Amino acid sequence: MKSLSIRFGERLRELRKERELSQEAFAAECGFDRTYVSGIERGVRNPSLAAIETLAAALGLSVGELFSGL
């Protein structure tokens, strides 16, 4: 079974791509560096709760919706 970090990163990438956002555009929307978003999507970075809230808001979702299906 994949780790939660990997599953979360895959979910984030899927949602970002559905919105046709590049990592760079999405990172700018969040106020993050593109390499940070890349690390989250690859499951090698563990975002804080505040960062997760920012990611969800940038996607127009609640935190619960962001985690839905993991």
Side-chain angles (χ1 to χ4, degrees):
M1 180 178 207
K2 294 179 185 177
S3 71
L4 180 59
S5 294
I6 297 287
R7 294 191 324 256
F8 180 79
E10 289 173 349
R11 171 85 171 139
L12 184 65
R13 180 182 295 120
E14 172 188 316
L15 293 166
R16 174 182 59 77
K17 287 185 172 187
E18 281 178 6
R19 287 156 178 77
E20 300 180 354
L21 292 169
S22 66
Q23 278 186 347
E24 191 168 325
F26 182 60
E29 179 73 25
C30 295
F32 299 148
D33 190 86
R34 184 204 56 81
T35 59
Y36 181 63
V37 171
S38 173
I40 295 170
E41 288 186 355
R42 291 181 290 121
V44 297
R45 298 294 303 256
N46 291 310
S48 67
L49 291 173
I52 290 169
E53 188 173 49
T54 299
L55 294 165
L59 293 168
L61 301 171
S62 70
V63 171
E65 289 169 321
L66 180 55
F67 276 92
S68 177
L70 291 187

